[in-house]
Amino acid sequence: MVRYYFDIRDNTGFYPDEEGMEFKTQREAEVEAARSLAGLAKDLATMDERQDVAVEVRTDVEDVFQAALIFKRSGTKQ
């Protein structure tokens, strides 16, 4: 089992995960990162100004991957 940490980065700052979660495979950590982003997206949906947010995943040894939600608006604002 490997302990993965899911740090959050958005326009307001960096929020490190101090506890982490243990998974058997990196794929399980990727699924957890996607779930985290989905929860963050729900929270951001109620805000007037959308902001980008990323989950930066690391182990005790190295940075592993980053999953991001990027809001890009084109054209008119409704």
Side-chain angles (χ1 to χ4, degrees):
M1 297 279 269
V2 175
R3 182 168 292 276
Y4 291 88
Y5 298 89
F6 299 83
D7 303 327
I8 306 297
R9 184 181 304 274
D10 64 16
N11 297 1
T12 64
F14 178 75
Y15 307 94
D17 175 3
E18 310 234 344
E19 295 179 26
M21 298 174 72
E22 290 187 344
F23 295 102
K24 290 180 184 176
T25 67
Q26 180 176 322
R27 178 68 180 141
E28 292 173 317
E30 291 169 356
V31 170
E32 180 60 29
R35 286 185 181 137
S36 296
L37 275 178
L40 291 166
K42 286 180 185 178
D43 294 340
L44 292 172
T46 62
M47 299 175 69
D48 289 335
E49 186 64 32
R50 305 291 191 269
Q51 59 181 317
D52 299 344
V53 63
V55 178
E56 299 176 358
V57 182
R58 62 185 165 83
T59 65
D60 289 320
V61 178
E62 64 183 341
D63 293 338
V64 182
F65 66 90
Q66 180 185 60
L69 178 63
I70 300 170
F71 285 99
K72 183 176 180 181
R73 185 178 307 192
S74 59
T76 60
K77 188 175 176 181
Q78 294 182 5

